[in-house]
Amino acid sequence: MTELLSEHACFGGVQRFYKFDSAAIGLPMRFAVYLPPDHAGKRLPVLFYLAGLTCTEETFAIKAGAQRVAAEEGLILVMPDTSPRGAGVPGETDAWDFGAGAGFYVDAVQAPWSTHYRMYSHILELRERVLAELPADPARVGIFGHSMGGHGALMLALRNPALFQSVSAFAPIAAPTRCPWGQKAFTGYLGDDQAAWRAYDATELMARSTEPPFPKGILVDQGMADKFLAEQLYPEAFEEACRAVGQPLELRRHAGYDHGYYFIQTFVADHLRFHRRNLA
């Protein structure tokens, strides 16, 4: 059963926070939902937002300023947490980029992480719960995210194009098999099997495509003052993979913008409207 924890009036709609017992995770998981005004009796497009390292289900709801545009465009926003909480895995809170707050949207196969760290399955499970319990249209589901969540959004969409009809990202970890964050996470969660790593890498998944998976396009925004750009993000690798398979990609590079939520606030309206057009 999904438990409503709190509800707050917001731009004529409601910002809600929920909790439910996740079968995928084996623990209670929290998520946030924004419902726009006048949603009763309608099936609306829904966007899943996947947050980045150290974030929770509250981060985007509080920091991004997305609810105003979601209210105007008639979009439901769904914001999951970024990892299990209270799993009791030794060392899960020792590092900010692995463990709690850093589930990387993969299903771990390495003990002791494999018992609860199953965020890939959790996002798919949450999608089904949202469609069953909220006024969301199963034919109009989009996904986007930031950093680790940008990786998650691109990867989940590429693996499940029938489930997510639109995708975008802010400063995604676009080629996690090539960067220190991804290599650390994938080794810990997936072990040394490079084939398992590639199955969760958006650039590798795009390179395997035989035709453009999202013919309406993919939107990616990247700040050029992002301190993680050179070492961790590799948008140019994803760009080249898209070019090779003919996938339309709008990769926008913005001088002066860094990796944080001021950057996301600046361009979040563009992303919501991009999805609203794609999910019309």
Side-chain angles (χ1 to χ4, degrees), residues 22-23 29 52 59 86 99 117 126 129 133 167 204 213 215 225 239 248 276:
S22 166
M29 291 293 289
T59 308
Y117 277 73
L126 182 59
R129 181 168 292 260
E133 299 184 9
V167 60
E204 296 288 339
E239 183 179 39
R276 187 65 182 87

Side-chain angles (χ1 to χ4, degrees), residues 58-94:
E58 293 184 311
T59 308
F60 184 79
I62 293 171
K63 291 185 174 183
Q67 292 92 338
R68 177 182 59 80
V69 179
E72 293 171 359
E73 298 291 341
L75 290 166
I76 299 171
L77 302 177
V78 179
M79 297 146 273
D81 203 349
T82 55
S83 78
R85 303 290 171 173
V89 177
E92 70 177 343
T93 60
D94 288 355

Side-chain angles (χ1 to χ4, degrees), residues 4-9 14-18:
L4 178 63
L5 301 175
S6 65
E7 180 176 281
H8 315 273
V14 286
Q15 178 65 56
R16 293 176 177 172
F17 295 91
Y18 291 99

Side-chain angles (χ1 to χ4, degrees), residues 145-212:
H146 169 235
S147 192
M148 177 185 73
H151 139 72
L154 293 171
M155 175 270 295
L156 273 149
L158 288 168
R159 288 180 58 155
N160 302 279
L163 301 183
F164 301 102
Q165 292 83 37
S166 184
V167 60
S168 72
F170 298 96
I173 303 172
T177 59
R178 308 185 193 190
C179 76
W181 280 341
Q183 291 164 358
K184 178 178 180 177
F186 287 1
T187 300
Y189 295 135
L190 304 174
D192 296 326
D193 182 2
Q194 297 286 318
W197 292 18
R198 290 191 291 272
Y200 290 106
D201 184 309
T203 296
E204 296 288 339
L205 291 167
M206 183 62 74
R208 295 184 203 171
S209 300
T210 56
E211 59 184 25

